[in-house]
């Protein structure tokens, strides 16, 4: 098969490693991490635009290197190519090898901030400019200096405080080591970040099975949603996370 | 419009407090300031947000300016015996620590004349029920930012039901991944697509006639 993979850049190393060993020819297109900041509907609209560019004469299926991602794939429609999406809430579940393991970890470890190679090295360098107005919409990605320049000293400081206040509720930083790291540098960065923020640190071993199955064409019902042409993704908020429904 | 209206619209907290003081010293009635200046200003902020002229930072700054005025006005409202528009219990759902949106909605509801009991973040269904019962709340607002914590909203609806607090107390849900469809599925009474519309939805919910 020839497969087209559209993936968030946060999963860069994991997707590249899986695609390199895939039994199929996989063309990979990475998109900026900042797409998430657009919010569900706008993120989906951008994904749809890019998905619609995949030529059905060339590809057998379109793979998504995404999860439900804050409803960023809710409503994503298959036009001519089947779309395959792992059943997970977000990339942390993908990196952990499945939603079940993530759910257990999430419930037993409240207030965790997650890191992986992608979360540490991606998001700044890739051209995020296609996202245009995103920063203005959320404001949350501005630095203190940018906020002061834009809103004045008093209001800038207030906004920075508001946008970073959620971090006070976090208690722990968990690094997900997939085994693809060249050495200990990423984990060291994560340890240092946890210390800087005064959080506990935990390291868990990731699992690349969903990446391998995605590019390997092993799309069983339990782990993947396959959306045939004429159907679209519908979030369900139960164990299966998403389902398909006919495009009205 | 007045200085207070402008200060809120421009997100200037100091000017807002100063304009409030000046107006009160000149003999303005507290309730008039709320109804003729603050609520119209926040309605205009909401309108600008809707047409993407304002974004989240502007919303936060206007809410802050409104609170600065409200702090001066609230004691006068209380002593004059003015009744709140409703009594609201608000918090983020269990497991979800993201509270920027919830804080904003709480501020806007206060500015809209509601009495707000803010339970903070990571709130269990039991705590929502307990606070709603103790405070005689007629509205419970639940927020989530993660799809993984959204099922917890259904647990709040069910706990309120089991506790016999519905339909007297309405339940409103919101947060970036939450949709009207989800709100309907879990049996919530209302849904706010964003913070700017939350006050209007809340007013409608508390004004709805009680089923016989």
């Amino acid at each position: 098969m020839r497969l087209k993979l559209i993936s968030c850049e946060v999963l860069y190393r994991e997707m590249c490693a899986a695609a390199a060993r895939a039994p199929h020819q996989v063309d990979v297109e990475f998109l900026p991490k900042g797409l998430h900041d657009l919010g569900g509907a706008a993120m989906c609209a951008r994904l749809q635009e890019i998905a619609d560019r995949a030529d059905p004469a060339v590809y057998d299926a379109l793979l998504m290197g995404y999860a439900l991602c804050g409803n960023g794939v809710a409503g994503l429609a298959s036009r001519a190519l089947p779309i395959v999406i792992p059943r997970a809430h977000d990339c942390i579940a993908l990196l952990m090898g499945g939603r079940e393991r993530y759910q257990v970890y999430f419930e037993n470890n409240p207030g965790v901030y997650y890191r992986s190679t992608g979360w540490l090295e991606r998001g700044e360098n890739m051209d995020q400019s296609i996202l245009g107005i995103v920063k203005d919409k959320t404001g949350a990605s501005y630095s203190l200096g940018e906020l002061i320049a834009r809103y004045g000293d008093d209001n800038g400081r207030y906004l920075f405080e508001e946008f970073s206040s959620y971090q006070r509720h976090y208690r722990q930083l968990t690094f997900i080591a997939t085994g693809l790291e060249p050495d200990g540098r990423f984990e060291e960065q994560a340890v240092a970040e946890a210390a800087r923020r005064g959080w506990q640190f935990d390291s868990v071993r990731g699992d690349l099975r969903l990446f391998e199955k995605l590019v390997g064409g092993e799309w069983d019902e339990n782990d993947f949603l396959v959306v045939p042409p004429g159907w679209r993704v519908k979030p369900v908020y139960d164990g299966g996370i998403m389902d398909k429904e006919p495009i009205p | 419009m007045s200085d207070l209206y402008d200060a809120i619209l421009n997100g200037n907290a100091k000017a807002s407090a100063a304009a409030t003081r000046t107006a009160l010293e000149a003999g303005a009635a507290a309730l008039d300031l709320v109804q003729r200046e603050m609520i119209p200003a926040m309605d205009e902020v909401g309108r600008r947000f809707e047409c993407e002229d304002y974004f989240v930072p502007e919303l936060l700054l206007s809410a802050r300016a409104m609170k600065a005025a409200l702090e001066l006005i609230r004691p006068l409202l209380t002593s004059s015996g003015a009744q709140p528009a409703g009594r609201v219990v608000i918090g983020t759902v269990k497991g979800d620590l993201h509270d920027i949106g919830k804080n904003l909605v709480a501020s806007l509801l206060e500015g809209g004349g509601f009495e707000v009991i803010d339970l903070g973040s990571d709130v269990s269904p039991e705590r929502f029920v307990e606070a709603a019962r103790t405070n005689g709340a007629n509205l419970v607002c639940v927020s989530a930012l993660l799809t993984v914590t959204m099922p917890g909203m259904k647990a709040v609806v069910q706990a309120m039901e089991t506790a016999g607090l519905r339909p007297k107390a309405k339940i409103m849900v919101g947060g970036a991944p939450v949709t009207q469809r989800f709100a309907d599925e879990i049996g919530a009474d209302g849904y706010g697509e964003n913070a700017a519309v939350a006050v209007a939805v809340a007013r409608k919910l508390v004004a709805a006639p009680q089923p016989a």
Side-chain angles (χ1 to χ4, degrees), chain A residues 93-170:
Chain A
L94 299 182
L95 290 164
M96 284 191 173
R99 61 191 186 280
E100 296 85 359
R101 185 176 168 210
Y102 175 49
Q103 192 74 39
V104 171
Y105 192 86
F106 187 89
E107 282 166 14
N108 291 325
N109 296 271
V112 173
Y113 207 70
Y114 295 92
R115 289 290 190 217
S116 65
T117 59
W119 278 102
L120 288 163
E121 71 180 348
R122 294 278 161 189
E124 297 300 323
N125 303 323
M126 190 173 184
D127 182 11
Q128 312 268 333
S129 61
I130 64 157
L131 307 169
I133 205 162
V134 178
K135 268 195 169 184
D136 293 325
K137 274 195 176 172
T138 64
S141 46
Y142 281 122
S143 68
L144 175 60
E146 284 174 312
L147 286 168
I148 288 174
R150 243 180 124 86
Y151 298 100
D153 190 69
D154 183 48
N155 275 342
R157 284 178 197 281
Y158 171 74
L159 288 174
F160 186 75
E161 177 67 18
E162 285 294 301
F163 289 140
S164 42
S165 69
Y166 74 95
Q167 294 181 353
R168 281 200 295 269
H169 304 306
Y170 282 91

Side-chain angles (χ1 to χ4, degrees), chain B residues 113-152:
Chain B
F114 286 83
E115 183 185 331
V116 177
I117 298 110
D118 189 343
L119 303 180
S121 54
D122 189 17
V123 181
S124 67
E126 297 74 30
R127 281 187 60 214
F128 274 112
V129 166
E130 183 54 31
R133 197 200 310 270
T134 317
N135 296 287
N138 49 359
L139 183 64
V140 171
C141 297
V142 192
S143 151
L145 191 84
L146 305 171
T147 57
V148 69
T149 59
M150 279 169 63

Side-chain angles (χ1 to χ4, degrees), chain A residues 12-14 17 116-118 120-122 175-189 205 208:
Chain A
Y12 212 102
R13 286 176 186 253
E14 294 78 17
S116 65
T117 59
L120 288 163
E121 71 180 348
R122 294 278 161 189
F175 180 73
I176 305 170
T178 58
L180 294 172
E181 301 80 10
D183 49 35
R185 75 185 71 187
F186 289 103
E187 185 152 345
E188 282 163 22
Q189 264 187 60
R205 182 74 191 189
L208 298 174

Side-chain angles (χ1 to χ4, degrees), chain A residues 58-95:
Chain A
V58 174
Y59 297 108
D60 296 289
L62 184 61
L63 314 176
M64 301 305 293
Y66 287 91
L68 185 55
C69 296
N71 282 341
V73 304
L76 186 70
S78 164
R79 315 270 190 219
L81 281 170
I83 296 180
V84 187
I85 312 177
R87 291 185 194 270
H89 279 289
D90 54 37
C91 58
I92 308 305
L94 299 182
L95 290 164

Side-chain angles (χ1 to χ4, degrees), chain B residues 7-180:
Chain B
I8 292 174
L9 193 57
N10 298 326
N12 189 333
K14 280 181 191 149
S16 171
T20 305
R21 262 187 224 104
T22 308
L24 291 172
E25 280 162 16
L31 198 60
D32 278 353
L33 289 181
V34 173
Q35 289 175 345
R36 297 190 188 158
E37 313 286 342
M38 294 169 62
I39 291 177
M42 288 313 293
D43 285 348
E44 175 61 14
V45 170
R47 196 193 63 77
R48 292 188 182 190
F49 183 81
E50 283 294 302
C51 58
E52 303 209 323
D53 193 13
Y54 273 15
F55 297 100
V56 171
E58 286 79 13
L59 212 52
L60 281 167
L61 295 176
S62 286
R64 182 193 190 205
M66 183 200 63
K67 275 190 114 166
L70 201 60
E71 271 162 31
L72 299 169
I73 289 173
R74 196 185 291 119
L76 302 172
L77 286 177
T78 314
S79 63
S80 74
Q83 288 299 309
R87 195 163 285 132
V88 184
V89 163
I90 189 169
T92 75
V93 73
K94 189 168 172 49
D96 213 318
L97 304 177
H98 304 85
D99 61 0
I100 297 176
K102 183 271 295 170
N103 295 341
L104 188 51
V105 171
S107 298
L108 296 175
L109 285 171
E110 265 187 273
F114 286 83
E115 183 185 331
V116 177
I117 298 110
D118 189 343
L119 303 180
S121 54
D122 189 17
V123 181
S124 67
E126 297 74 30
R127 281 187 60 214
F128 274 112
V129 166
E130 183 54 31
R133 197 200 310 270
T134 317
N135 296 287
N138 49 359
L139 183 64
V140 171
C141 297
V142 192
S143 151
L145 191 84
L146 305 171
T147 57
V148 69
T149 59
M150 279 169 63
M153 291 180 147
K154 190 174 180 180
V156 176
V157 174
Q158 285 167 342
M160 288 288 292
E161 186 81 52
T162 310
L165 297 175
R166 298 185 79 196
K168 185 181 165 285
K170 301 285 192 280
I171 300 172
M172 177 164 114
V173 294
V178 180
T179 58
Q180 180 68 56

Side-chain angles (χ1 to χ4, degrees), chain A residues 6-37:
Chain A
I6 296 172
S7 176
C8 176
E9 63 171 325
V10 157
L11 305 171
Y12 212 102
R13 286 176 186 253
E14 294 78 17
M15 285 300 178
C16 287
R21 294 198 183 86
H24 308 291
Q25 184 181 350
V26 186
D27 294 343
V28 192
E29 183 174 352
F30 288 103
L31 300 180
K33 171 169 154 268
L35 210 51
H36 293 80
D37 301 332

